[in-house]
Amino acid sequence: MEVPIYVWTATVIGIVGLLLFDFFFHVRKAHTPTLRESAVWSSIYVGIALLFGVGVLVFGGPTMGTEYFAGYVTEKALSVDNLFVFLIIMSSFKVPRADQQKVLLFGIVFSLIARTGFIFLGAALINSFAWVFYIFGLILLITAGNLLKPSGHDDESESLIIRLAKRFLPASEHYDGDKLFTIEDGKRVLTPMLLVMVAIGATDILFALDSIPAIFGLTQNTFIVFTATAFSLMGLRQLFFLIDGLLDRLIYLSYGLAVILGFIGVKLILHALHENNLPFINNGEHVDVVEISTGLSLSVILGVLIVTVLASVLSPKGKAKNAISGAKRHAAEYLDLNYETDIAEREKIFERLCAEEEDLRKLPEKYKRLIRNETVFMEMIRKAHAEHDAALEREPGR
């Protein structure tokens, strides 16, 4: 179905308007969003995406509607997985908590621009060369295989980007609010804020290499590909702060995404065989193969994600990993006096640390032995408590 130009125009204006609203009303003034603020706005953005999908279903028909929802769910799941890497990058650069919103919004805008370019390039290639489906299918199968590696999110490609940014873009050691440049010893120099944005921007390009083929495996309608991708990125900033403590607990998410990407990769190759015009395959004739419907694709994607999330959240290993990694992170955040300067927010971080320590005490003995062997981790916990005791003594009236 051909989408009229006025619908394209109204959609693009609406998306740009949402991004501008997000910047001027939430991100412009540096602050740490509350859990309630993140929950409300995450719900609003998901609601907008779902309402848009209903509109597509009503005006575009059931095929377009199903394609949109399948694409949106897939891209949203991939976006949540990307948040792990954003967390690693911002931890590496020690981005102050209040300034993380701006970094994330930059990442979303850059990602949207980069993916839009890939979308129109992919659409042009598909329209001209049917064999591109083979390439997209192979990319997804390779990506699925990489996700099954035990290295997980501490992947060499991310660490390489961080190392290159630090090496070729030397900057000052300290942040100057959310400024990209500052004056140091009378010279204008870069701040770490610019470096982290470069690192996230470069990582976004890598993400697009598997994200765009994945959605083209579900639909070749450029409008659906663009809108499902755009709306999956909307609200990602709020989602980061909402599920911040849950990110470490989704230990099986990469396996679920591997299954989904592998499934879509097979679907793409089957479609390529059906549309085949390569002379060395079946003499350039179409191959009679089973094609996977979009409805079945949506069912598989939702089913795999539900099983993955439930297995991660309810499994003993997931609970143990969540407590261990959460305690590590919150101890490091509390000790880094530049990370969060607001006393009330620092107190919340310490409360989370204490709750996670309590969870650690309840772990089975096999997990407790692993913790006791981590002397650096135990020392961080001790220092965090000592710093908190000292802060309480400094308070007036104590």
Side-chain angles (χ1 to χ4, degrees):
M1 176 181 173
E2 193 68 28
V3 178
I5 189 67
Y6 68 85
V7 175
W8 268 101
T9 304
T11 303
V12 172
I13 290 173
I15 290 169
V16 172
L18 285 173
L19 289 170
L20 290 174
F21 174 84
D22 206 16
F23 175 76
F24 285 107
F25 289 91
H26 295 117
V27 176
R28 194 175 185 183
K29 183 180 179 181
H31 72 287
T32 303
T34 63
L35 187 64
R36 182 178 181 278
E37 178 187 340
S38 299
V40 168
W41 284 102
S42 290
S43 302
I44 288 173
Y45 279 110
V46 170
I48 291 171
L50 295 178
L51 280 175
F52 185 86
V54 171
V56 172
L57 192 65
V58 171
F59 295 103
T63 299
M64 279 185 71
T66 306
E67 288 177 351
Y68 170 82
F69 282 113
Y72 173 74
V73 171
T74 301
E75 292 298 305
K76 198 69 175 179
L78 288 169
S79 296
V80 171
D81 190 56
N82 297 347
L83 290 180
F84 282 101
V85 183
F86 289 166
L87 184 62
I88 292 169
I89 291 174
M90 288 196 286
S91 298
S92 175
F93 285 97
K94 296 183 178 179
V95 181
R97 181 78 164 168
D99 295 323
Q100 289 182 1
Q101 291 199 96
K102 185 164 286 188
V103 173
L104 286 167
L105 185 60
F106 166 81
I108 291 167
V109 172
F110 186 90
S111 180
L112 186 55
I113 293 169
R115 293 182 194 208
T116 300
F118 279 113
I119 287 168
F120 285 104
L121 176 61
L125 288 172
I126 286 170
N127 289 333
S128 303
F129 311 104
W131 50 262
V132 169
F133 287 113
Y134 287 113
I135 304 296
F136 282 2
L138 286 172
I139 288 172
L140 293 183
L141 290 175
I142 292 169
T143 304
N146 288 333
L147 284 172
L148 293 174
K149 291 180 180 178
S151 57
H153 297 281
D154 298 320
D155 170 286
E156 283 301 311
S157 61
E158 282 84 42
S159 60
L160 176 62
I161 289 170
I162 294 170
R163 290 199 304 269
L164 288 174
K166 289 180 176 178
R167 179 176 178 183
F168 293 105
L169 295 171
S172 65
E173 292 292 323
H174 306 289
Y175 287 87
D176 186 3
D178 57 8
K179 294 179 182 177
L180 303 182
F181 298 90
T182 189
I183 304 297
E184 199 170 80
D185 297 328
K187 294 180 180 179
R188 185 178 172 84
V189 295
L190 308 177
T191 68
M193 181 64 73
L194 182 59
L195 295 193
V196 71
M197 287 184 172
V198 169
I200 282 183
T203 306
D204 276 330
I205 294 175
L206 294 181
F207 289 155
L209 294 178
D210 57 59
S211 169
I212 299 308
I215 193 168
F216 269 118
L218 299 167
T219 177
Q220 285 81 60
N221 186 313
T222 308
F223 181 76
I224 297 299
V225 172
F226 172 75
T227 52
T229 301
F231 282 112
S232 73
L233 294 171
M234 295 287 107
L236 196 60
R237 175 185 64 78
Q238 293 87 348
L239 190 63
F240 176 85
F241 291 95
L242 179 62
I243 66 172
D244 189 6
L246 185 61
L247 279 175
D248 296 313
R249 192 164 177 173
L250 297 176
I251 59 173
Y252 298 123
L253 180 61
S254 59
Y255 297 109
L257 289 175
V259 172
I260 290 170
L261 293 181
F263 172 79
I264 297 174
V266 171
K267 182 178 186 292
L268 272 172
I269 290 175
L270 289 174
H271 182 71
L273 289 168
H274 187 267
E275 301 289 325
N276 179 64
N277 57 13
L278 294 177
F280 53 85
I281 297 178
N282 199 34
N283 296 318
E285 298 296 321
H286 303 330
V287 181
D288 188 17
V289 293
V290 175
E291 287 216 73
I292 300 169
S293 68
T294 307
L296 177 59
S297 299
L298 179 57
S299 300
V300 169
I301 290 164
L302 288 173
V304 170
L305 285 176
I306 289 169
V307 170
T308 298
V309 171
L310 288 178
S312 296
V313 173
L314 300 177
S315 70
K317 186 178 179 182
K319 293 177 181 178
K321 183 167 182 179
N322 182 57
I324 295 168
S325 58
K328 280 182 181 177
R329 185 152 48 86
H330 289 127
E333 289 172 356
Y334 190 81
L335 290 171
D336 185 357
L337 298 178
N338 291 319
Y339 176 78
E340 179 59 73
T341 54
D342 184 86
I343 295 173
E345 289 297 329
R346 285 179 59 76
E347 190 64 30
K348 288 179 184 176
I349 292 172
F350 187 78
E351 287 173 4
R352 291 192 201 112
L353 171 61
C354 291
E356 284 150 354
E357 285 182 85
E358 186 60 32
D359 290 338
L360 292 177
R361 295 187 189 99
K362 297 175 184 176
L363 290 178
E365 189 59 33
K366 62 179 180 179
Y367 294 117
K368 287 183 179 178
R369 283 198 298 269
L370 292 174
I371 299 166
R372 293 191 196 107
N373 292 334
E374 290 195 39
T375 53
V376 175
F377 171 51
M378 298 304 292
E379 181 62 17
M380 281 176 61
I381 297 290
R382 189 194 64 76
K383 284 184 178 178
H385 278 274
E387 175 64 33
H388 185 257
D389 291 341
L392 290 178
E393 288 177 5
R394 289 194 295 268
E395 283 186 21
R398 286 186 180 265

